[in-house]
Amino acid sequence: MLSPEGLVALAAVLTVLGLLALHFWEGWLEVSGALAEEEEEEKGIPFMAEGGSGCRLLCKPSALAQHLVWSLGRSAALQGGRWPWPRWPQLQMLRQLLQPPEPELVVARELLQLPDAGLVALDWLVGPWEAVGGGEGGVSSAVLLLIPNAAGKVTGGLLQLGLRALERGFIPVIFNRRGHNGCPLTTPQLQPFGDPGDLREALSYLRCRHPGASLLAVSEGSGSGLLLAYLGESGSSSRLAAAACLSPIFRARDWFEAGMPWLYEWPLLLHLKQGLSRYAGALAEAVDMDRLLGSRSLRELEECLFCRTRSRPTSWELYWERNEPLRDADEAAVPVLCLCSADDPVRGAPARTVPTQLFRSSPYFFLLLARRGGHCGWGHEAVLDYFRAMAEFLRADERRKGPRRWGGPAAEPPAFTWHRSYTR
């Protein structure tokens, strides 16, 4: 016989489980509708359809597009069939979010001091030693910059990608924004959603440290806003040779205004508030901390941090004119592969959240769209196959036409102040 306290606890657990089941069921219905709606969109180039992921490549026809179809069509990472519950993208997302990499990674941290005395952290994945590979497919010694989501969460999927990159001979390093993941906040200034200034400084430093290596970058989720903004702003002077975005948020303002399902928004909001509360003293001179920590949505929090500041207040509209990820997409001159799922519960239905016209018109943007996979729940290892395919294509192209300028000039970057913080 259960005690009254036990009955209350049991009722609470059953209520939570019921709410979760209702949410998943509603999500399944919404996903089914999204998939049906998405079928009406342009089909793209199908490959791996039989027994595989059913991926399609949407892009402007080109020699590079044909090479990617041929190369990624052989990718074991796109064979699919490994996830036992394909109709539950929420569970797939939680798995990649929480599952730790095996074996455990060894990380060496460097702090990079920026021109305004702010700091960003670079976490170099340096071990375990048995994971360090010798390179393959022309990507040996390429530096791979891993960009977490805008909340700074380094997911299990991103760490697993770093581990696989290490095994294949890449030099993987994680970019941590100001105040994220233990990086000290030395100025009352965080990085706006689509301001690539700090990322540009980090890439200049990487070019200085590895002058002979190719620079590659991959971003996860909302962190793709930073990478896409950098590619647009830098244009043909980008220091990157190629880039990839996993489940990117293309239309950031619309995404903030629409909001996410509560199951995702509230934990993310709590995570952000916990991180910001550590720097309440430093941020108090710039923002209203009471209002910030009392935010009830991601939009409210973003407005408090970057629009309703004490020194330079601005409007929500003007903020997004300066920070929308695709504001300068027409200027991008580096190949970027965007891996998306039609059932992504965080980004929303492709018909209203994916700029398909951009992929049809730009020779540099490629959309790899899978029917299922959730948010950042697939594609991590396929990214490495993409970078290998890019290396093969560029080598063949250079033999025909001479070296391309992708990756930017190897000009001498400015001096930096940095030091090693710790190794774990």
Side-chain angles (χ1 to χ4, degrees):
M1 185 73 177
L2 287 175
S3 64
E5 294 81 3
L7 289 173
V8 171
L10 179 61
V13 169
L14 291 175
T15 300
V16 170
L17 291 176
L19 287 172
L20 287 174
L22 177 62
H23 174 79
F24 286 157
W25 175 250
E26 290 175 345
W28 181 81
L29 291 177
E30 182 178 349
V31 163
S32 299
L35 290 173
E37 184 180 7
E38 182 255 341
E39 286 295 333
E40 299 301 321
E41 295 293 315
E42 184 171 336
K43 295 295 184 181
I45 305 173
F47 58 96
M48 302 302 300
E50 293 184 6
S53 60
C55 290
R56 289 176 289 123
L57 188 68
L58 180 61
C59 59
K60 185 175 182 178
S62 66
L64 176 55
Q66 291 176 352
H67 178 75
L68 290 179
V69 170
W70 176 80
S71 184
L72 293 179
R74 301 177 299 152
S75 171
L78 296 179
Q79 290 290 339
R82 299 178 183 177
W83 178 244
W85 301 293
R87 293 186 180 274
W88 302 103
Q90 297 89 347
L91 298 179
Q92 193 166 358
M93 183 184 75
L94 289 175
R95 183 189 67 162
Q96 74 83 28
L97 186 68
L98 302 175
Q99 184 177 8
E102 295 179 0
E104 186 176 356
L105 287 163
V106 179
V107 178
R109 168 162 289 192
E110 290 180 347
L111 298 177
L112 182 64
Q113 185 168 314
L114 305 168
D116 68 346
L119 294 175
V120 294
L122 298 176
D123 288 341
W124 298 87
L125 307 187
V126 296
W129 296 115
E130 61 268 21
V132 179
E136 62 174 49
V139 295
S140 178
S141 298
V143 177
L144 177 58
L145 187 64
L146 308 172
I147 303 174
N149 59 41
K153 174 64 177 176
V154 181
T155 65
L158 196 65
L159 289 174
Q160 196 70 33
L161 171 58
L163 178 62
R164 295 291 172 256
L166 195 65
E167 292 172 347
R168 295 195 187 191
F170 292 85
I171 304 173
V173 55
I174 299 172
F175 174 77
N176 298 286
R177 308 185 195 207
R178 304 172 185 226
H180 284 184
N181 298 321
C183 178
L185 186 65
T186 55
T187 65
Q189 174 66 40
L190 293 170
Q191 190 169 16
F193 188 91
D195 180 0
D198 292 354
L199 178 61
R200 185 182 301 109
E201 297 288 340
L203 287 169
S204 295
Y205 167 71
L206 294 178
R207 168 58 65 217
C208 177
R209 178 162 175 174
H210 294 275
S214 296
L215 297 184
L216 309 168
V218 57
S219 56
E220 229 186 20
S222 53
S224 299
L226 205 58
L227 181 55
L228 292 170
Y230 169 78
L231 293 171
E233 279 199 7
S234 59
S236 60
S237 64
S238 169
R239 296 186 179 277
L240 293 172
C245 299
L246 289 157
S247 299
I249 303 299
F250 294 106
R251 295 166 173 152
R253 179 180 175 179
D254 292 346
W255 182 71
F256 273 96
E257 291 178 351
M260 288 192 296
W262 64 269
L263 186 64
Y264 312 115
E265 181 154 7
W266 278 92
L268 181 58
L269 193 61
L270 180 60
H271 171 78
L272 286 167
K273 289 181 181 180
Q274 286 177 332
L276 292 168
S277 64
R278 297 179 53 198
Y279 304 109
L283 291 173
E285 62 183 86
V287 299
D288 183 342
M289 288 304 298
D290 290 337
R291 186 167 191 167
L292 178 69
L293 297 178
S295 300
R296 298 174 61 86
S297 68
L298 291 177
R299 172 178 175 166
E300 284 185 35
L301 188 138
E302 192 81 3
E303 279 192 282
C304 288
L305 271 178
F306 301 111
C307 298
R308 298 174 179 175
T309 58
R310 301 187 193 279
S311 57
R312 291 187 224 171
T314 187
S315 68
W316 182 247
E317 291 74 17
L318 186 57
Y319 173 74
W320 285 113
E321 284 183 19
R322 298 170 178 167
N323 287 278
E324 195 65 60
L326 296 178
R327 62 188 182 276
D328 296 313
D330 291 342
E331 301 298 322
V334 171
V336 54
L337 179 69
C338 298
L339 300 94
C340 299
S341 303
D343 64 350
D344 187 334
V346 172
R347 188 203 62 242
R352 63 175 184 271
T353 60
V354 177
T356 54
Q357 184 56 39
L358 174 65
F359 296 97
R360 297 189 189 107
S361 60
S362 173
Y364 296 104
F365 281 85
F366 301 86
L367 174 64
L368 187 61
L369 182 64
R371 284 181 56 80
R372 305 189 186 278
H375 185 73
C376 299
W378 71 285
H380 290 77
E381 291 197 37
V383 165
L384 299 181
D385 293 333
Y386 159 69
F387 286 136
R388 182 194 62 201
M390 281 301 309
E392 294 169 350
F393 180 83
L394 291 177
R395 281 201 314 275
D397 200 50
E398 286 176 6
R399 286 195 295 268
R400 292 194 306 268
K401 304 177 183 178
R404 283 184 181 257
R405 294 184 57 117
W406 289 346
E412 185 67 24
F416 295 93
T417 302
W418 59 276
H419 65 275
R420 187 170 300 238
S421 175
Y422 62 84
T423 301
R424 65 174 184 263

